[in-house]
Amino acid sequence: MTNAVGTSVWALPVGVAAAALGLWAYRAAVRRIEAREPRELSREGAARGLGWGTAVGVGLFAATIAAIAVLGGYRVTGWGSFEAFLAVCGLMCAVAVAEELLLRGVLLRVVEEAAGTWAALALSSAVFGALHLVNPNATLWGALAISLEAGLLLGAAYVATRSLWLPIGLHLGWNTAQAGIFGTAVSGSEDAFAGLLTGATSGPTALSGGAFGPEGSVIAVLLCGAATVYLLRLAHRRGHIVPRRSRRT
């Protein structure tokens, strides 16, 4: 996986094009099936949401890997290349957009309309974690960690803003930092990615995440959990928490 991504000069333009196509298809489907404008992908505020989301995503992973490194669970083993970094960016653009459109744009939003915000967050997060069980080196703990740290965080980002741009940015920033900057395994990938750096994790699974990668670290769960709590409190203040349909009735 590392070599395939790192040597593909087409990864960046193809990834960006795939992301753009996905956004276009989502907008077209919402207009045709739901007969409404997809406000969750409004162009107004798109740059701000993507920018802040990407920056926070990078920052959260940087804080995670720094804490793991201080405790002896991560070390830099060599230098990658800027070309590899750009290739990873392209791949992660496509991944972030596709997963956010399906998990938050469709599943969470549709379930929320019928069952309320809390049920939608729980279900979409559980599905998000379960999807990662098909990855190499996947574990039940890794899937649970993904559900807690990423599924809930990304869902909370959507609920707080009622926009998909912030969760897309968070997803992109986290994955790009993980693979494109620090060169670690992503969600149980067979090999660490080659980005700007190549890195290696070691030590107890609770610290380093083991073969699943830093996403399986308790540190990642705690840091992302804190961000999730902040976003949910923000959503509550803004009146964005939707009750169950029976309570609304």
Side-chain angles (χ1 to χ4, degrees), residues 1-9 11 77 79-81 83-85 87-88 91-92 178-180 182-186 189-199:
M1 180 181 293
T2 301
N3 292 337
V5 174
T7 58
S8 176
V9 296
T77 59
W79 294 97
S81 69
E83 290 78 8
F85 168 74
V88 170
L91 173 64
M92 296 311 173
Q178 188 171 201
F182 295 100
T184 64
V186 179
S189 55
E190 291 182 342
D191 301 299
F193 281 74
L196 294 177
L197 303 171
T198 56

Side-chain angles (χ1 to χ4, degrees), residues 58-155:
V58 170
L60 277 173
F61 187 81
T64 297
I65 204 68
I68 294 174
V70 167
L71 295 173
Y74 169 81
R75 71 183 190 280
V76 175
T77 59
W79 294 97
S81 69
F82 188 66
E83 290 78 8
F85 168 74
L86 293 178
V88 170
C89 287
L91 173 64
M92 296 311 173
C93 280
V95 170
V97 167
E99 292 187 353
E100 292 314 302
L101 292 179
L102 291 174
L103 273 297
R104 261 57 67 176
V106 177
L107 180 61
L108 188 153
R109 184 172 57 83
V110 171
V111 173
E112 185 182 48
E113 292 176 359
T117 297
W118 302 119
L121 282 172
L123 179 60
S124 62
S125 298
V127 170
F128 188 61
L131 289 175
H132 290 80
L133 284 171
V134 303
N135 293 355
N137 299 313
T139 64
L140 286 176
W141 162 247
L144 177 60
I146 287 286
S147 297
L148 295 174
E149 75 198 21
L152 288 177
L153 173 64
L154 297 168

Side-chain angles (χ1 to χ4, degrees), residues 17 48 62 68 78 83 116 169 177 179 184 207 221 230-231 237-238 248:
R48 179 181 176 83
I68 294 174
E83 290 78 8
T184 64
L207 170 64
V221 175
Y230 169 78
L231 287 169
R237 289 200 301 269
R238 291 177 172 177
R248 279 177 273 167

